[in-house]
């Protein structure tokens, strides 16, 4: 061990009582971590900020489906965003008619039969299929 | 013309050579000093960048204090994985001093908890010496309690927290919370919730306290059952079975599957609440 290392160790030993004070900070971090891990209520951001009546109606339908039907369902969508989220996003992006057409197209593809055609979201373990015009 | 260009090139080279005596590049020691200054100024990203540069060009120049600053900087930016690695190096460099070594290993354990690596954290804690100075022993007990609790080793967690709270009222309160925790499995039994929802859709959800979801399930399944019966009476049994049956099956199965999962989530949530209460008690005692 070099002289500099020995000196550093001695100085740190002298200050070791002082650095215990940081434990309070660690305790706060731990409390924060476990408090924030409590179950969060699902907040559907995409159903907010509607620019016209059509969007408002579709957002209402989306919220009704999510809260009363999807919450009781045994099946899970294979895609991210899910078909209902895709639907509301498509309506907001392309309008009611084209949005609905894109949603019906998505519903016919939601069967998990062609996983190789999509990119995979490894974190969610779902196939990626965002709303696009293609 | 060519001769003129050659002459001017020689002239420029001569001037630069003359001034190069005064110009020196940033040495490793400069980097280390700068990193220390930036650490004091709490510019943690700069500190990390500087120590990374030093580690690349001359790892041997890094001392114990540098690894501490480096680890602290990672911790400050919530990169607990790299913070743990540097605290571990610091612990190994502080080999001659047991208290200091333990102190850094406790930091490693903390970083592992923050990353949800509870098993690794427990291994780090078990590798510490049996008898430690009071403050370090307290921290060890706290982290052992948390990691054991998160690994569902509740007896071990209860022992750690009971030893942590030397004050009798807090100790009793902690024991009370662990008793409450033991009752959770029977109070919100997931199997019971599932069976209840099989018998009557929504009953399982009401059993563990989610009345809204319970009523939702009951009404949805009731409506689909009524529709199915309507089809059977109006048309035929096959018609009713084929037209509405799959929908009923989907939400009926969904109901009892979710009832079981909901009960498991409820237990997890209550446990989380108990842990937060225990940590609040720890905060009060500090």
């Amino acid at each position: 061990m070099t002289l500099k290392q020995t000196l550093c160790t001695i100085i740190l030993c002298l200050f070791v009582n002082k650095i215990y004070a940081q434990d309070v900070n660690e305790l706060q971090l731990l409390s924060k971590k476990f408090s924030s891990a409590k179950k969060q209520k699902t907040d559907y951001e995409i159903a907010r900020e509607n620019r016209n009546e059509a969007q408002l109606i579709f957002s209402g339908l989306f919220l009704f489906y999510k809260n009363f039907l999807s919450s009781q369902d045994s099946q899970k969508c294979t895609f991210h965003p899910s078909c209902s989220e895709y639907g509301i996003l498509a309506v907001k992006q392309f309008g009611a008619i084209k949005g609905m057409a894109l949603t019906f197209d998505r519903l016919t593809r939601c069967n998990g039969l062609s996983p190789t055609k999509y990119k995979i979201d490894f974190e969610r373990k779902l196939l990626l299929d965002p709303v696009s015009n293609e | 013309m060519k001769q003129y260009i050659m002459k001017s090139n020689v002239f420029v080279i001569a001037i630069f050579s003359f001034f190069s005596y005064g110009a020196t590049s940033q040495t490793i020691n400069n980097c280390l000093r700068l990193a220390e200054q930036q650490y004091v100024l709490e510019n943690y990203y700069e500190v990390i960048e500087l120590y990374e540069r030093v580690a690349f060009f001359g790892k041997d120049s890094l001392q114990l204090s540098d690894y501490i600053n480096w680890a602290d900087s990672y911790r400050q930016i919530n990169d607990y994985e790299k913070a743990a690695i540097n605290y571990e190096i610091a612990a190994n460099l502080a080999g001659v001093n047991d208290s200091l070594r333990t102190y850094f290993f406790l930091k490693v354990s903390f970083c592992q908890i923050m990353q949800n690596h509870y098993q690794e954290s427990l291994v780090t804690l078990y590798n510490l010496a049996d008898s430690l100075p009071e403050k370090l022993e307290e921290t060890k007990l706290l982290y052992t309690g948390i990691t054991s609790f998160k690994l569902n080793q509740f007896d071990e967690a209860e022992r750690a927290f009971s030893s942590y709270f030397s004050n009798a009222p807090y100790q009793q309160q902690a024991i009370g919370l662990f008793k409450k925790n033991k009752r959770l499995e029977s109070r919100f039994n997931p199997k019971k919730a599932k069976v209840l929802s099989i018998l009557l859709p929504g009953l399982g959800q009401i059993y563990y306290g989610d009345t809204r979801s319970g009523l939702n399930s009951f009404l949805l399944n009731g409506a689909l059952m009524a529709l199915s019966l309507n089809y059977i009476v109006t048309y035929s049994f096959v018609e009713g079975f084929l037209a509405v049956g799959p929908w009923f099956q989907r939400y009926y199965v969904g109901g009892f599957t979710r009832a079981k999962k909901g009960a498991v989530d409820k237990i997890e949530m209550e446990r989380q609440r108990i842990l937060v209460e225990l940590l609040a008690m720890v905060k009060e005692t500090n």
Side-chain angles (χ1 to χ4, degrees):
Chain A
M1 188 179 261
T2 61
L3 183 68
K4 196 176 174 188
Q5 278 178 323
T6 319
L7 271 171
C8 279
T9 312
I10 292 166
I11 290 165
L12 281 165
C13 292
L14 287 170
F15 283 100
V16 78
N17 284 326
K18 200 180 167 187
I19 48 183
Y20 285 144
Q22 285 182 349
D23 292 349
V24 179
N25 183 24
E26 281 167 9
L27 190 58
Q28 277 172 350
L29 284 169
L30 286 169
S31 300
K32 201 176 157 190
K33 173 184 162 67
F34 295 119
S35 306
S36 61
K38 280 180 191 173
K39 200 179 177 185
Q40 303 256 316
K41 203 181 170 189
T42 318
D43 187 20
Y44 300 111
E45 281 280 330
I46 40 174
R48 288 182 187 173
E49 289 179 30
N50 302 299
R51 276 177 288 171
N52 52 47
E53 288 75 12
Q55 286 190 7
L56 191 73
I57 291 166
F58 278 99
S59 292
L61 288 170
F62 167 80
L63 287 174
F64 176 81
Y65 171 76
K66 275 288 185 193
N67 285 311
F68 296 105
L69 301 176
S70 179
S71 65
Q72 304 297 325
D73 207 345
S74 61
Q75 292 177 7
K76 264 197 146 185
C77 185
T78 53
F79 288 114
H80 175 75
S82 69
C83 290
S84 53
E85 287 166 358
Y86 182 96
I88 189 77
L89 286 169
V91 167
K92 286 196 172 184
Q93 202 168 325
F94 299 108
I97 294 168
K98 191 174 178 186
M100 277 171 70
L102 285 168
T103 308
F104 287 132
D105 170 66
R106 163 63 103 77
L107 287 169
T108 59
R109 290 184 283 117
C110 185
N111 46 40
L113 295 176
S114 315
T116 50
K117 288 183 179 173
Y118 303 94
K119 284 183 181 169
I120 300 169
D121 182 340
F122 288 100
E123 202 177 310
R124 293 188 175 91
K125 293 172 187 163
L126 292 170
L127 300 173
L128 275 172
D129 181 38
V131 180
S132 71
N133 207 4
E134 291 165 16
Chain B
M1 183 69 183
K2 202 174 178 184
Q3 207 175 7
Y4 171 74
I5 293 169
M6 195 62 192
K7 263 185 186 173
S8 71
N9 279 353
V10 170
F11 184 68
V12 168
I13 290 166
I15 287 174
F16 271 93
S17 306
F18 180 73
F19 281 108
S20 68
Y21 285 106
T24 50
S25 62
Q26 197 177 36
T27 63
I28 284 176
N29 283 335
N30 289 144
C31 265
L32 288 171
R33 264 202 301 277
L34 192 60
E36 277 166 25
Q37 284 167 7
Q38 292 298 317
Y39 181 76
V40 174
L41 293 169
E42 299 180 358
N43 294 331
Y44 299 113
Y45 286 99
E46 280 81 356
V47 176
I48 290 165
E49 205 182 312
L50 286 161
Y51 280 126
E52 274 173 359
R53 196 182 301 166
V54 173
F56 184 79
F57 288 107
K59 204 168 189 172
D60 296 338
S61 314
L62 289 166
Q63 306 293 322
L64 175 59
S65 58
D66 301 320
Y67 279 108
I68 298 166
N69 289 353
W70 199 3
D72 281 344
S73 303
Y74 274 127
R75 213 197 70 178
Q76 291 293 340
I77 62 158
N78 299 332
D79 190 341
Y80 292 104
E81 193 183 346
K82 286 181 180 163
I85 294 168
N86 285 295
Y87 280 130
E88 203 167 337
I89 296 170
N92 290 325
L93 285 176
V96 285
N97 185 296
D98 275 350
S99 294
L100 205 57
R101 195 176 147 83
T102 307
Y103 177 79
F104 291 124
F105 273 123
L106 285 170
K107 292 264 181 199
V108 173
S109 171
F110 166 78
C111 291
Q112 287 163 334
I113 293 173
M114 292 305 282
Q115 292 175 83
N116 298 332
H117 295 167
Y118 301 111
Q119 201 73 52
E120 286 93 325
S121 177
L122 208 55
V123 171
T124 308
L125 293 165
Y126 282 154
N127 281 329
L128 296 178
D130 288 333
S131 60
L132 295 170
E134 195 192 338
K135 279 279 174 190
L136 294 177
E137 182 64 31
E138 272 184 12
T139 314
K140 183 188 167 188
L141 284 170
L142 175 64
Y143 292 169
T144 309
I146 293 169
T147 44
S148 306
F149 195 93
K150 292 303 287 181
L151 290 167
N152 293 349
Q153 297 170 2
F154 299 115
D155 290 337
E156 181 60 37
E158 189 175 352
R159 261 198 299 278
F161 275 109
S162 302
S163 310
Y164 181 88
F165 295 115
S166 48
N167 191 337
Y170 281 114
Q171 204 174 43
Q172 286 306 313
Q173 215 175 322
I175 291 167
L177 284 172
F178 276 98
K179 275 184 187 161
K180 191 179 161 188
N181 180 57
K182 268 182 194 160
R183 285 196 296 269
L184 287 176
E185 286 283 355
S186 53
R187 170 64 190 84
F188 305 111
N189 190 335
K191 278 183 190 167
K192 201 188 269 185
K194 186 180 175 178
V195 170
L196 284 170
S197 272
I198 290 172
L199 294 174
L200 183 70
L203 202 58
Q205 284 91 329
I206 292 169
Y207 160 72
Y208 68 77
D210 193 351
T211 315
R212 184 193 156 279
S213 179
L215 285 173
N216 188 174
S217 179
F218 179 74
L219 289 173
L220 189 63
N221 281 291
L224 288 167
M225 176 74 95
L227 191 64
S228 179
L229 285 173
N230 185 39
Y231 262 69
I232 290 167
V233 171
T234 317
Y235 303 104
S236 68
F237 179 79
V238 178
E239 195 94 6
F241 186 77
L242 290 177
V244 194
W247 289 101
F248 175 72
Q249 180 267 346
R250 182 170 171 166
Y251 288 103
Y252 179 71
V253 174
F256 66 72
T257 313
R258 280 175 185 266
K260 188 181 177 184
K261 195 181 170 297
V264 172
D265 289 348
K266 179 81 179 176
I267 291 171
E268 192 51 44
M269 216 171 75
E270 290 297 319
R271 279 194 181 137
Q272 202 80 354
R273 199 169 288 162
I274 287 170
L275 185 58
V276 171
E277 270 185 60
L278 283 165
L279 291 177
M281 282 162 58
V282 171
K283 219 185 240 180
E284 277 174 37
T285 55
N286 272 320

